[in-house]
């Protein structure tokens, strides 16, 4: 096992906060500021899209990027972290405002129809992914 | 407390799976299929955007939507659930491939610069949100 | 015909610049700055998504918005204009970098499979659009 | 001048349809189907985002893509063309429903604050774009 593989094997998220803890913190935070009135599902969806746009802006001029962002400065990594966090916070709030139990749906989806859209079908692999060095980024 | 307020007070996500559990399940799932080679940060970002687009498609002809999606059929609620789940799965995978500890960043952001972008600044409220019935959705 | 209908009847875009004129101006502009090297199709796609996110941010806390943006200030209308323009400029540049003749494709699509995705199917209308005042925005 | 440079020099969009012609065709088309009632600015914005998501899906597993899409099949190029066209049609319709003269804004923006966001600032170039083969795609 080389160093990268070891790192991949070792990398983990922190166990907390859970999705429910994030939801609960947001809920209290927004209630205190009287923001519930503005947080309709469509408003939160547009807020989510705005944050995804900010994430895209960080990556837009970067060309291929390797796993672990090895060519990013610490400041750039921090910037990516914050935008990922903003996307998640808005996603959790959107699910909350839809009154949909996001974690249980994720569990069901992973178990029963796992990730049908998050990689090319095996049969298409040879066509889509020619073994060019740049392709695998 | 009226019925809606009680419902809001009672609504919670399931405690599991945690973000780390989702990350771990995805990681195993993708490794088994030899998909790691395709899951570069930029590829996962575009996959995330594709899922956000599918979420937008559900909401696009709906006009104003109230909290809890009261006018959605069970099938439509199911559809929203699945797309929210797909967005989350791709977001978690993107953070994993960036090797960024998403939960810890969320915790830090909520504690220190809470949600600066997810509602209008208080000072702008009066200008942005005239009390029209449709506005608060 | 009431005043709004007259306005709708009268509203037109300026005839110039055409899509090709926009493409040409951009092409010269980018060549002068030696930016062609950065404008790969995927980079331009992410730049487009970033601009779409900025557009979403303007609309995110607005609730329902009527045709013609009657409740927007002049400054807000200006802001929307600029973001729409940025999206178009990036879209034209993306098509240029893909070497795809955008206007001719649009013409073909409008003539042969007109707008199949840009409104609900007639048969679904009654289900999707209940005649609520807020719904038609 | 090599072959690629010649091709770039020669590539042009068709002169028609203009943005106003696209707007006019859409306007008639939607009026005939009684769709104006559904085409509020926010509905059209979400429709635009849905189309951008479909565009992202085409590019998501592709890794680096060169100018002119040389590794795409004819069918894939056709698919990109159609999604670019759908994005443009929705963008034009959104501008129409906002009653904003998109071409004139584009002209003004190109002339006065040209493309401030569509490439990295010159001063950042050396930092952001290290001369790696994969980076320039």
């Amino acid at each position: 096992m080389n160093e990268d593989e070891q790192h991949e094997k070792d990398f983990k998220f922190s166990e907390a906060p859970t999705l429910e803890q994030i939801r609960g913190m947001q809920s209290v935070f927004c209630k205190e500021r009287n923001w519930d009135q503005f947080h309709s599902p469509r408003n939160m969806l547009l807020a989510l899209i705005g944050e995804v746009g900010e994430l895209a802006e960080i990556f837009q001029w970067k060309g291929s990027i390797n796993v672990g962002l090895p060519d990013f400065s610490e400041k750039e990594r921090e910037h990516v972290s914050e935008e990922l966090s903003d996307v998640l916070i808005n996603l959790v709030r959107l699910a909350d405002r839809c009154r949909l139990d996001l974690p249980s749906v994720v569990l069901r989806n992973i178990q029963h129809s796992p990730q049908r859209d998050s990689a090319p079908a095996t049969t298409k692999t040879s066509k889509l992914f020619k073994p060019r060095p740049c392709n695998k980024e």
Side-chain angles (χ1 to χ4, degrees), chain A residues 14-109:
Chain A
S14 300
E15 275 298 335
T18 65
L19 288 161
E20 165 55 20
Q21 287 167 336
I22 296 170
R23 189 206 61 76
M25 285 186 285
Q26 285 296 104
S27 179
V28 169
F29 188 90
C30 295
K31 200 173 291 300
E32 288 172 354
R33 280 151 189 78
N34 202 22
W35 284 353
D36 284 355
Q37 60 185 319
F38 309 127
H39 285 198
S40 69
R42 294 232 302 189
N43 283 12
M44 291 318 299
L45 174 57
L46 288 171
L48 172 69
I49 292 160
E51 297 298 343
V52 170
E54 293 187 34
L55 194 56
E57 284 177 15
I58 306 178
F59 287 88
Q60 71 191 359
W61 304 123
K62 289 290 193 179
S64 296
I65 297 168
N66 289 321
V67 170
L69 313 180
D71 297 326
F72 279 51
S73 69
E74 197 48 45
K75 191 176 168 184
E76 288 172 322
R77 290 170 56 88
E78 187 65 23
H79 191 186
V80 176
S81 293
E82 282 170 12
E83 296 304 339
L84 288 170
S85 163
D86 285 345
V87 174
L88 180 61
I89 286 172
N90 279 281
L91 180 65
V92 165
R93 182 70 177 161
L94 171 58
D96 189 18
R97 301 303 281 173
C98 292
R99 302 287 184 251
L100 295 168
D101 183 5
L102 187 55
S104 75
V105 179
V106 169
L107 187 63
R108 198 180 59 212
N109 281 3

